Amino acid sequence: QELQALLGNAKHLVLRSLYGEANHVEPRFLVRGGLVFVPLTADFLEQAWPNAQDRPSHLMDLFFRGVVDPTKKEVVVVLSILSDDVNAGHGSGYVGCPIVDSIGGEPVVDLPHCAELFNRAQAEEEFVQIEVSMSVGPYSLVLKSADLPEADA
């Protein structure tokens, strides 16, 4: 008996290798209002926390159980916060890699969509509201739209 099966592309929400078949890739990130947004990848997890036991549970849950679908192509996290008046009160430096759930009330699909939502909220709203999930639960970051151009300069 012979078994035939058509194999499709991997559907991991957290990419298993940043490099794929290439030897080099440009890093992907977005800095807005001092917040550094990056996509979550296996390579990032391995570099940030070489000891697997130290990796944040909220990120590892997505690594093991997250699946790509039309509403979520990749996980975006806040890598760190660069201290500025516009983000005062939200901490600075490493803040636990919260997962970016939504900006302006709209769910984030991937890093380019994150940039699009941030720009739209900044242009249309008095405040940019970013909803995130941390290992300790949900959190809201609120940035005054009028102060963002100076922070991003």
Side-chain angles (χ1 to χ4, degrees), residues 114-135:
C114 179
E116 177 186 323
L117 293 177
F118 199 104
N119 292 340
R120 184 183 317 147
Q122 180 182 350
E124 297 175 0
E125 304 293 334
E126 184 177 358
F127 296 95
V128 176
Q129 185 167 346
I130 305 159
E131 299 296 331
V132 300
S133 297
M134 302 178 72
S135 57

Side-chain angles (χ1 to χ4, degrees), residues 26-82:
E26 291 296 320
R28 297 173 51 226
F29 63 93
L30 169 69
V31 180
R32 297 300 314 270
L35 305 179
V36 181
F37 300 93
V38 298
L40 180 63
T41 66
D43 292 333
F44 169 74
L45 288 169
E46 290 172 9
Q47 293 299 312
W49 299 278
N51 185 346
Q53 296 171 326
D54 296 335
R55 296 175 189 154
S57 59
H58 67 295
L59 302 182
M60 293 310 295
D61 181 57
L62 287 172
F63 176 81
F64 289 118
R65 299 187 317 144
V67 178
V68 171
D69 66 37
T71 64
K72 188 64 105 175
K73 295 180 183 173
E74 69 183 352
V75 177
V76 177
V77 298
V78 177
L79 174 61
S80 66
I81 298 178
L82 308 174

